Structures are given as C-alpha cells and as structure tokens.
Amino acid sequence: MIRAKSIWAAWMCWVGLLSAAIGASQGDDVAGSAMLRDAMKHISAYHVGQPKSDKVLRVVYFTPGDRDPLADHAGRLDRILDDVAGFYREGFKRFGQDTGGLPLERKDGKLVIHQVKGKLPASSYTYESGSITKAEVRAALKGIVDMDREHVLILYALCHQESDGRYVFNSPYYGDGASSNSSGLCHAADCELLDPRLLGETEKQMVYTEHYYPRVEQTIGKFNGWYIGGIAHELGHGLGLPHDNGSKEERGFGSSLMGGGNLHYRGELWGDRAPAFLSRATALQLASHPLMTRSDKGRDTEAHGYFEKLEFSGNAGELHIKGKTAGAVPAYGAIAYIWPMSAKTDHRAVTCPVVLEEGGFEMDIAGLRPDSYWLKLNSLHVNGAVSNEYFVLKVDKSNQINLAEMNGEWLVDRADLAIHRQDPRAREFVSDEVISAAPTAESAGKLRVLRGLLDPAVPADLSSAKEDHAWLSDAAWTKAEVGWGMPTRNAFWSDGRFRMGTFLTLKQKPYEKGLYAHAPSHYGFAVDQKWKTFTATVGLRDGAQAVGSAVFVVRGDGKELYRSELLRAGENADVSVDVSGVKNLELLTEGGNGNTSNAWSIWVDPKVTR
C-alpha cells in the first residue's frame, strides 16, 4: 500500500506540474477559438434571459451486496470528479471560453454521492451487467434521481485485490447519451488506488486485470491516467459525444479525449508525449449541452433536424461538402466524421467541424486515400440536440470518389425522413422530376419505393392479368399475416416507433419488389391456374441479429411445394417452384427451431410467370 506521506508528496507534485501544464502543453487553438466564438453567438442568442438551470451531474456509488465501499471512496471521488470537471473547463479555456466546467452536485462544498447497495454478490456482476445495475439504481433511487431526465454517472466498487497483489475489475464501463440533451448515463470503475493525487506517481508499479486487458503492468500514475481518463471519456459518451480523433489540423496538440485520449489523460504528469485534449468537434458539440449552457430551454424539445440541402463534389482524394440544415430547433454547427470501414471501431474518426452561416456550411476533407469509409454528418442544435446522417464514402485506386452514389443516397434519405415525419413536402421529394434526375439507378429505385408508400397502387388481380409476369408484392392477397408489425408491400414495416430501415435489402443489395414477412407469416394469393412458375429470393433482411433465423415455405392448394433450409442473418436462397395448375398459392415463414426473435424474413422479387 502507498503511505500517506508519499500520497501527500505525490499530490503536491501533481499540483505543481498541473499548474505549469495548463495552457502550455497543447497551446491555445486560435482557429478553434474563432470557431467557438462564432458558435457561442448562436447558442447565447437562443438562451438569453433564461433562468439558471439547477440540473447537475448526479453521481451514484454502486456496491455489490457482499462488499463495502472501497477505502476513502468519498474523498477520492470528490477529487476525481473535480479533476475531470477541471479537465473539461481547461479544454474550453484553451478555446478562449471561460466556463464553470461540468456542474457537480455538491452540498456544504462536498460532492453528493448517492449510495446504492446491489442485490447480488460481487461475483454476479460483470462488464456486461450495465442493464442490471441500471435497473437496481433506478429502483433504489426512485424519487431521488430521475434516470430518464438527468445525467448520471455510476461508479462501481467492483474491484478487488488477489493474493498475488493483482487488482481485478468486473465493472460495467461505458457511456450512453442517446438523448444527450435531456438525459445520459455512464458506468465506470473505482479502485482504492484511483486518485488524481497519484497521477504523478511514476515509480511504483501495479498489476491488474479487466475486461479488455488480461494482464497490465504499469505505473500507478499511468493507471490513474488511463482510468480517470476513462471516466472523462465515458462521461463524454454519457453527454452524447461520439468518438472523435480530432481534425488533421489538431494532430500536434496531443490525443483527443474522445478518440484514444482516455489512455493519455493528464499525460504531462506521468511522462506521456501526447497528452489528452478537448478537440474542436467535441467542444463545438458540448458548447450547447444543457449542463454547459445551464439553461433548460428546449431541453426536452425534439430538434427534428435534417439536411435541407446537401451536395458532394470533388475528387482526387478531396471531398467537398456543401449543405444547409433545417429543423424545429435552430442549428448552429455541423461536423463530419470519417473512418475506414475496415476499422473495428470509430475511435480514430477524423473530424471536420464548422459553424453555420445562415443555416449553410461548406467543408473540405483532403488527403483521402483509396479505401471504403463511413461518413457521418451531424447537425448541432442550440438546445444541445444532435441529428445525423450516414453515408458510404468510397475512394477508388485512381482517387475518384463515389459522388453520384452519395448524392443519390442523400435524395433518398431526405425523402425517407420526410415521409417518416409526415412532412407535407414529402411528395415533392419523390416527384417524377426528382426520380428522373436521380444520379444512380439504385437511388431512383429507392425513390420509387418511397413514392409507393405515399401513393400505393391498387393491387392487381392475378386471375385477370394479361402480362407474362406479375409481382406478388403488387397483387391482391387473400390472406396476409406477419409475426410482428403489419403486412407490408415493397418495404420493411415501420410504425414510427421502430425504424430499422425502409428498404428490403439482402447482402447490401436493395430490392424494389418484395414482401415484409417477419416470422411466423402467411401470405395467400388466388392465382387461378393462370401461372406456371413462382420465383423469389428469400432471407433475413440486412440488420437482423445473429439470434434471428427463418424457414421459408411455398404451398399450392395446401400441398407443400418448397421448404428452404434454415436461413440465418447474412444467408439467402433462390426459389423456383412449378405452380402449374395451382389455384391458391401460399407463402409462409417459420422461425428457426421455433424461435421468432429477430426473424426479419423477407421475400424479394416474388414473381409468377406464364
């Protein structure tokens, strides 16, 4: 164990080093400061005259049923959270913005810590137990902490020391701020050696095991950098911040906190050459967060943001984006995030943040190498809400970018969102003129599907059809039942609450014709002995989880004519069945082995021919 005298010496060393490091190691960001200044004009104008919010970050300390809180947990947590709040405050100061940092719940000058005793022993909790502990915290603090309307940090006393001196962590450790402006939650681990006073301890070593690392040997100072940095990083997620490795212009400043900076927190104190910093994109988004503006105006208002205009241009490895935002709540900024599809995560996403001018923006992203990337565009709203759209960005070997596909996908996204929100302009977005001008055949096909949702055609009568083929998804049915949702033609079912994508896709290929058929499902058609062959492709629509599976069955006049193998996510099969002489054709799906969870079964291109 570390003696009190050495703790005091480390603390004094830390204070001195930190005083010298603030504002010096990374330096002021002139361009970032100008950007934040412009952003604050928009944000301040929206919140002017509002009373100061009393909302604060609530801190919960979770102890398993068979253990007590770790040593000096109250004092250490006070120092830890004060240090993290200070890190955010210093990050904004580097951009010329004086803020109070993250507001902490305090009473008589001390951090308020809400204690919760778990119902289970420590051995029953793991990294995967976040949903269990969240439910226990919700029940224990009902009427005290509102998990649905506040921002909450849960720290866990799920660390113990083995006989060999090794520390073992079994704690949930992640953040979730999906509704970032109204609520957010993050989980993090506590340890008796976790204390910002020990960030400068570069001599003494420790060994530990946790979810990601079977065995780590490092100095106590570096451990504190990693784990207090982890709290700062996951808290960022709890506030709605995505992963963000910073812009190319910021590479000389160190490591972005929301990229890999959680492993470089206060690195200047323990010998790290690339200490963590708050990036421009992180600061731009966080500037409007209710905990930073201290205003509740629009806190629970849906922004309904979207890109009213969007145009991709460029080439030779350089992408130019021009756009205009709109929504129920004004937007003030936009951020582009780009990371390779080959990467396991988006931790290394390069960002390009801009402030809007009259709702519009332009940005240039240079130096793109031949590869396939994810491109996420976020619009930032003055109440702290964030809206986003995703695109597939491809750069070929000659450095040409798939501009037509990206521009076409935006036309589809715009129309899809308008239909989902019942925007009166939706029909304009799927007009004949828009479809004929669509830059790709795929985007034109998707727009036709969307128009069909707005203006569905009268189902065809298969017994009187004159053509040599007919799509069953456009035909009148005699029976239509699905296991979840409603029978749907040429699109994936959605009721507005559950949106898993509009289009019928298998292995990333979209289909204009098809039937939504979540198992168990049953479609019936009167074919009246008029047709010879039924064909289709079957499978689970893209996005289905591994637990999903289905079996597809074709029956004619009650007799089984075809039964597929059990198909799981990512698998499909081609069907061709002789239906000569059949009066009543039936298409059925069954859950694999009786399981219908996530059975996103679809029949695509279901067709009968003469």
Side-chain angles (χ1 to χ4, degrees):
M1 299 297 292
I2 298 179
R3 298 179 183 274
K5 184 177 180 180
S6 63
I7 290 178
W8 175 251
W11 168 247
M12 293 304 294
C13 176
W14 178 82
V15 170
L17 286 170
L18 181 58
S19 299
I22 293 175
S25 60
Q26 284 120 11
D28 295 332
D29 185 341
V30 177
S33 297
M35 180 188 70
L36 260 291
R37 245 188 341 264
D38 290 343
M40 291 308 299
K41 294 176 184 176
H42 296 270
I43 297 167
S44 299
Y46 178 78
H47 294 284
V48 66
Q50 293 297 305
K52 187 176 181 179
S53 171
D54 60 356
K55 298 294 192 300
V56 292
L57 177 67
R58 313 298 295 276
V59 178
V60 176
Y61 196 76
F62 185 95
T63 309
D66 58 348
R67 289 186 189 169
D68 296 322
L70 299 178
D72 188 29
H73 75 287
R76 289 186 298 97
L77 263 59
D78 198 321
R79 293 189 290 273
I80 289 168
L81 269 296
D82 188 59
D83 192 79
V84 170
F87 178 87
Y88 279 93
R89 182 174 61 251
E90 295 153 22
F92 273 93
K93 188 173 182 179
R94 196 170 66 87
F95 294 112
Q97 300 295 320
D98 288 321
T99 71
L102 295 172
L104 303 172
E105 184 181 12
R106 291 191 175 279
K107 184 177 182 180
D108 299 328
K110 295 183 179 180
L111 180 71
V112 175
I113 302 172
H114 300 274
Q115 306 278 351
V116 172
K117 192 79 167 179
K119 296 180 179 180
L120 304 173
S123 59
S124 297
Y125 296 105
T126 69
Y127 175 87
E128 310 291 345
S129 299
S131 59
I132 296 173
T133 57
K134 178 182 178 181
E136 292 192 40
V137 169
R138 182 191 296 276
L141 298 179
K142 184 178 181 181
I144 300 172
V145 175
D146 189 341
M147 303 288 285
D148 300 315
R149 292 182 52 79
E150 296 188 270
H151 292 86
V152 181
L153 164 64
I154 305 177
L155 284 148
Y156 293 87
L158 287 168
C159 170
H160 69 277
Q161 193 171 17
E162 295 284 350
S163 58
D164 62 0
R166 176 172 51 94
Y167 288 86
V168 178
F169 294 89
N170 289 304
S171 168
Y173 212 117
Y174 54 87
D176 176 16
S179 301
S180 59
N181 55 329
S182 59
S183 65
L185 173 66
C186 60
H187 310 264
D190 185 31
C191 175
E192 62 188 68
L193 295 182
L194 199 62
D195 192 330
R197 291 175 174 177
L198 300 178
L199 279 162
E201 179 53 77
T202 58
E203 298 296 328
K204 292 184 172 62
Q205 300 280 320
M206 71 173 295
V207 181
Y208 62 90
T209 295
E210 56 120 89
H211 176 71
Y212 288 108
Y213 305 104
R215 181 181 175 86
V216 179
E217 298 183 37
Q218 61 187 189
T219 67
I220 291 174
K222 189 172 185 178
F223 161 75
N224 272 274
W226 279 28
Y227 267 67
I228 299 178
I231 294 172
H233 178 101
E234 301 306 341
L235 183 55
H237 286 320
L239 298 174
L241 296 172
H243 287 132
D244 155 29
N245 200 39
S247 62
K248 292 183 178 180
E249 294 78 14
E250 296 177 279
R251 287 179 176 172
F253 291 133
S255 303
S256 169
L257 174 68
M258 297 310 296
N262 55 307
L263 303 182
H264 302 270
Y265 182 85
R266 301 295 192 194
E268 63 275 10
L269 303 179
W270 48 268
D272 193 287
R273 295 183 179 181
F277 72 99
L278 216 60
S279 74
R280 295 174 186 174
T282 289
L284 185 63
Q285 177 175 334
L286 200 56
S288 63
H289 195 282
L291 289 185
M292 301 301 291
T293 62
R294 306 311 312 277
S295 167
D296 286 332
K297 182 178 180 181
R299 185 186 184 98
D300 299 316
T301 303
E302 289 283 347
H304 293 303
Y306 62 97
F307 292 98
E308 187 175 44
K309 295 181 180 178
L310 205 56
E311 180 183 345
F312 300 99
S313 60
N315 260 320
E318 181 170 333
L319 177 66
H320 180 76
I321 307 174
K322 182 177 181 180
K324 189 172 184 179
T325 64
V329 177
Y332 67 92
I335 305 174
Y337 299 80
I338 296 180
W339 67 98
M341 288 186 175
S342 57
K344 293 182 179 179
T345 71
D346 58 354
H347 278 78
R348 309 299 293 178
V350 175
T351 53
C352 182
V354 296
V355 176
L356 307 182
E357 294 184 16
E358 297 182 354
F361 68 91
E362 293 189 44
M363 58 176 69
D364 291 294
I365 302 167
L368 293 169
R369 298 179 179 179
D371 206 341
S372 295
Y373 302 87
W374 288 113
L375 167 64
K376 179 175 67 171
L377 285 179
N378 280 7
S379 61
L380 312 179
H381 301 267
V382 289
N383 66 339
V386 179
S387 307
N388 58 59
E389 286 195 39
Y390 287 84
F391 298 89
V392 173
L393 167 63
K394 296 180 181 179
V395 183
D396 66 20
K397 293 181 179 180
S398 60
N399 282 331
Q400 301 303 299
I401 300 173
N402 61 327
L403 299 173
E405 292 178 13
M406 295 173 69
N407 284 314
E409 195 58 32
W410 172 68
L411 291 175
V412 172
D413 289 346
R414 179 184 65 168
D416 194 8
L417 187 62
I419 292 171
H420 170 65
R421 292 179 175 171
Q422 299 182 334
D423 189 320
R425 300 175 302 168
R427 280 185 170 77
E428 298 176 24
F429 299 157
V430 291
S431 66
D432 288 339
E433 293 76 15
V434 172
I435 294 175
S436 62
T440 66
E442 181 176 308
S443 58
K446 288 182 174 180
L447 290 170
R448 283 192 292 267
V449 169
L450 292 172
R451 185 164 65 182
L453 296 179
L454 285 177
D455 300 309
V458 176
D461 182 352
L462 293 176
S463 63
S464 60
K466 303 300 182 183
E467 296 79 7
D468 61 359
H469 73 274
W471 302 105
L472 294 189
S473 55
D474 293 338
W477 51 49
T478 57
K479 184 173 184 177
E481 298 175 349
V482 294
W484 182 50
M486 300 288 291
T488 306
R489 303 176 186 273
N490 302 321
F492 204 72
W493 172 79
S494 169
D495 71 347
R497 293 177 302 153
F498 302 98
R499 289 195 78 225
M500 292 142 308
T502 300
F503 305 101
L504 302 174
T505 58
L506 291 174
K507 295 184 177 179
Q508 299 184 348
K509 179 181 178 181
Y511 293 82
E512 290 187 47
K513 303 296 183 181
L515 293 167
Y516 166 77
H518 192 293
S521 69
H522 189 167
Y523 285 94
F525 301 91
V527 292
D528 200 30
Q529 298 180 317
K530 302 289 186 178
W531 305 93
K532 181 179 180 181
T533 307
F534 165 74
T535 57
T537 300
V538 296
L540 268 60
R541 204 210 72 169
D542 293 350
Q545 300 299 309
V547 68
S549 63
V551 174
F552 294 78
V553 179
V554 179
R555 290 201 307 223
D557 297 330
K559 179 181 178 181
E560 188 170 297
L561 305 178
Y562 169 84
R563 175 174 289 268
S564 75
E565 299 290 332
L566 185 148
L567 298 178
R568 298 191 181 276
E571 300 175 338
N572 60 264
D574 293 325
V575 181
S576 181
V577 179
D578 184 354
V579 293
S580 302
V582 170
K583 293 182 178 181
N584 297 296
L585 180 65
E586 298 171 281
L587 308 182
L588 303 94
T589 64
E590 304 167 357
N593 300 320
N595 173 36
T596 59
S597 175
N598 226 243
W600 291 10
S601 16
I602 57 175
W603 301 80
V604 297
D605 284 351
K607 182 171 61 173
V608 286
T609 55
R610 304 288 186 189

